[in-house]
Amino acid sequence: FSHCRNPLYVGNYLLILGVGVASCSAIFVFIIIPLMALAYWAIIAAEENFLRNKFGEVFDTYCAKFSRVFFNPSGLRSTLNGMKFHWARVVVKEYGTTFAWTLGYILVVMQNAWISGRYKISSPLIIALSIALGAVVLAFLVSRFLKKREIIRG
């Protein structure tokens, strides 16, 4: 949050944009993506209003330093050096989101192969995507099991 005020929303929007481009769907590109931009704009505005009412001048100072949606790479090396990545946290907290995005991308590529007439069960692309699909589903099920049994805690 010291490089952009809304990095999670920006990241999600970029993922949606990627799915839209990969889908080769005019409806997705010209209707869904703008609607998502409008939805995120409204969510961000509401959150900022809440934060401004709660923190006042402190939040205004923060807003003056950091962009709402544009990334400022200044000091990124320092930020990354001060972070530790926790795989357990990904498994426990983010497995559903990771599963949904990965599944979405795989299915979009398979759909594009189907639409273009290149979908053949024996195709190396379809075989690789099918294996990836199975791996993603298995990883989701294992992650869910580990979380529900509290074997891994984030």
Side-chain angles (χ1 to χ4, degrees):
F1 293 94
S2 60
H3 302 280
C4 172
R5 291 198 317 252
N6 296 284
L8 302 174
Y9 292 136
V10 172
N12 282 341
Y13 187 74
L14 291 174
L15 287 169
I16 291 165
L17 186 61
V19 170
V21 170
S23 71
C24 298
S25 166
I27 291 172
F28 203 101
V29 170
F30 296 113
I31 296 174
I32 303 298
I33 290 174
L35 284 175
M36 292 304 297
L38 183 64
Y40 277 129
W41 178 82
I43 291 167
I44 289 169
E47 285 184 0
E48 287 188 352
N49 185 49
F50 170 80
L51 293 169
R52 188 165 280 109
N53 289 332
K54 185 170 183 174
F55 299 107
E57 191 175 316
V58 172
F59 184 70
D60 288 334
T61 302
Y62 172 72
C63 289
K65 286 173 78 173
F66 303 105
S67 172
R68 177 180 278 171
V69 294
F70 295 110
F71 181 78
N72 178 356
S74 176
L76 182 60
R77 182 180 304 267
S78 175
T79 300
L80 293 175
N81 286 337
M83 297 175 67
K84 289 185 180 179
F85 190 79
H86 301 284
W87 279 106
R89 185 171 211 175
V90 173
V91 171
V92 172
K93 304 282 186 188
E94 298 297 330
Y95 72 95
T97 303
T98 304
F99 170 72
W101 285 115
T102 308
L103 178 69
Y105 279 117
I106 291 170
L107 293 177
V108 163
V109 174
M110 287 179 131
Q111 173 198 4
N112 288 343
W114 179 271
I115 290 170
S116 70
R118 292 182 293 169
Y119 188 97
K120 295 178 180 67
I121 298 295
S122 61
S123 159
L125 174 65
I126 300 305
I127 291 170
L129 289 171
S130 299
I131 291 169
L133 185 63
V136 166
V137 170
L138 180 62
F140 171 80
L141 294 173
V142 168
S143 298
R144 186 163 174 80
F145 174 81
L146 294 173
K147 178 183 179 180
K148 294 299 180 184
R149 296 291 171 117
E150 296 184 356
I151 295 169
I152 293 182
R153 295 187 180 142

